[in-house]
Amino acid sequence: SQRIINISDQQSTLKFKNKFPKKILENFMYANSIHLVDYVRIFARGKINSIKTMYDLKKNKIIIFSKKINFSSGDVVIFNSIWNKPGPWSVNISTDNFFFEMCPLEQLKYRNKKDNKIIEFNINKDDIRYKPGFMRQANEMIKAIDRKKFNIPSSDDAYKTIKLIKKIF
């Protein structure tokens, strides 16, 4: 069925203003929001038909915007970004029969239409001990170096995500 995907992005570049040059902070979405834009490409099906700005605010170093991305499959992504205000990263996917939630991103929960009961998957122990996703990423890189089958995005995947970031931001 059609997927309605809500993605919430949050960046606090003000806390880094003495650590990075202004140009890097102005383009922080390529360093940090890239993970959330990857989810657009992972979960939405088909080609992008349109990207429409639904809300845009830039005031006193606060940047808030909301974009609606329509796909040829009928899937819709609502991408909300809040910079320099508190908020979590999250991804929600609604279908006819399920509602999936990732908040924090490494914690998947879902509900089904039948009983609406929340089912929670356990967080991987490596995601608790280390930065979430780091150990898996390192293991996949080792597989690639050892010329074994691996699951790392290709440079073509990265390029497509970077092009989408430019369209969204």
Side-chain angles (χ1 to χ4, degrees), residues 76-91:
V76 175
V77 174
I78 306 298
F79 192 97
N80 299 296
S81 190
I82 299 172
W83 285 42
N84 300 316
K85 289 181 81 166
W89 282 0
S90 68
V91 176

Side-chain angles (χ1 to χ4, degrees), residues 7-68:
I7 298 177
S8 294
D9 171 45
Q10 188 277 334
Q11 301 297 331
S12 294
T13 57
L14 294 178
K15 70 182 178 181
F16 297 117
K17 73 178 187 175
N18 295 324
K19 294 182 181 184
F20 296 108
K22 182 180 178 185
K23 189 73 170 171
I24 289 176
L25 294 176
E26 289 171 350
N27 292 283
F28 213 60
M29 68 288 274
Y30 292 101
N32 218 18
S33 299
I34 192 168
H35 311 299
L36 291 159
V37 177
D38 277 333
Y39 285 126
V40 173
R41 296 191 54 247
I42 290 168
F43 293 125
R45 300 163 297 176
K47 294 185 179 187
I48 295 174
N49 285 341
S50 64
I51 300 176
K52 179 183 172 188
T53 300
M54 298 179 351
Y55 183 79
D56 195 4
L57 171 73
K58 292 177 183 155
K59 185 177 180 182
N60 300 330
K61 301 187 183 195
I62 293 172
I63 301 168
I64 302 171
F65 69 78
S66 183
K67 304 275 180 150
K68 181 180 179 188

Side-chain angles (χ1 to χ4, degrees), residues 133-145 152:
F134 181 76
M135 187 58 77
R136 181 168 181 198
Q137 189 176 28
N139 286 330
E140 292 300 322
M141 183 60 78
I142 291 167
K143 288 180 193 175
I145 291 167
I152 296 176

Side-chain angles (χ1 to χ4, degrees), residues 39 88-91 101-109 120 123 132:
Y39 285 126
W89 282 0
S90 68
V91 176
E101 178 180 39
M102 295 166 35
C103 186
L105 294 178
E106 56 276 3
Q107 176 66 61
L108 175 63
K109 301 174 199 162
E120 214 172 293
I123 295 178

